[in-house]
Amino acid sequence: MAKSILHIDASARRATSVTRDLSKDVVARLNGDVVTRDLFDALPHIDESWIGANFTPEADRTDAQKELLALSDKLIAEVKAADVLVIGVPVYNFGIPTNLKAWVDMICRAGITFRYTEAGPEGLLTGKRAILVAATGGTPVGSEIDFATNYMRHVLGFIGITDVQLVAADRLSVDAEGSIAEAKAQVAELAA
């Protein structure tokens, strides 16, 4: 049975993006049915009206509130339908770009993708795999100043996705050729 893959691109660069190129290589290696969500055209950020709609019980939501949550519902449906998420994670100023953070805010919804229990939060999107494809100019991936990949691992685990792998082309400003070659080797080692 073919895998369902959700491919998230978050780079502000279209033509020269390392994460876009490497994440395409990952998707090709996985060989499944692909849905691509390009965050180049930024998602709206959540605001007071969105939060109010989100915390209104579904049965009590007005048509306007339902409309405010429609994009979030669609993004969550994409995640739920996927067996594997391939997420391009460009590291900007030690963190993720705002368009990727807006996506995270839209998919992390209590009662839908996670819930709170007496034992703490419980992710509801279990049984999925995620592959983060990171690129940095100078930040070593996994270091104490990498607030991007560590954050994405945490967020994915929070919603129940604990099988998270990382392909990293870090420190591109130091050794771009070597870093990209190492990342391509990591892609080649990924289990399809």
Side-chain angles (χ1 to χ4, degrees):
M1 183 167 131
K3 287 187 269 306
S4 175
I5 301 165
L6 176 58
H7 179 195
I8 306 285
D9 270 325
S11 178
R13 296 180 182 181
R14 282 208 165 132
T16 60
S17 167
V18 172
T19 58
R20 284 178 185 274
D21 290 344
L22 288 172
S23 64
K24 283 180 192 168
D25 292 346
V26 170
V27 169
R29 176 144 180 86
L30 297 177
N31 191 29
D33 297 324
V34 182
V35 169
T36 299
R37 172 61 64 176
D38 192 337
L39 303 178
F40 182 83
D41 296 319
L43 298 172
H45 291 267
I46 62 173
D47 60 14
E48 187 174 7
S49 297
W50 189 96
I51 291 169
N54 186 44
F55 285 103
T56 299
E58 187 173 358
D60 297 336
R61 288 182 188 143
T62 65
D63 289 342
Q65 288 176 318
K66 291 175 188 174
E67 182 62 30
L68 280 173
L69 297 175
L71 177 58
S72 172
D73 292 339
K74 182 176 183 177
L75 297 172
I76 290 169
E78 290 173 353
V79 174
K80 284 183 174 182
D83 300 311
V84 182
L85 284 72
V86 176
I87 305 173
V89 184
V91 178
Y92 298 161
N93 301 311
F94 311 103
I96 63 172
T98 60
N99 54 352
L100 185 54
K101 177 61 167 78
W103 179 81
V104 166
D105 289 342
M106 291 273 181
I107 66 157
C108 291
R109 286 182 48 201
I112 299 173
T113 58
F114 71 93
R115 67 179 171 203
Y116 290 110
T117 70
E118 290 193 16
E122 176 185 1
L124 301 176
L125 302 181
T126 59
K128 298 179 183 301
R129 175 184 179 198
I131 301 169
L132 302 175
V133 180
T136 77
T139 302
V141 166
S143 71
E144 65 183 23
I145 60 171
D146 170 16
F147 301 107
T149 63
N150 296 328
Y151 170 77
M152 288 302 297
R153 284 181 187 271
H154 178 79
V155 164
L156 292 168
F158 182 74
I159 62 173
I161 304 171
T162 57
D163 180 1
V164 181
Q165 295 172 279
L166 179 64
V167 171
D170 60 350
R171 305 189 70 214
L172 290 164
S173 295
V174 176
D175 179 14
E177 188 175 309
S179 184
I180 290 171
E182 174 60 29
K184 286 185 178 284
Q186 293 169 28
V187 171
E189 292 175 10
L190 287 172

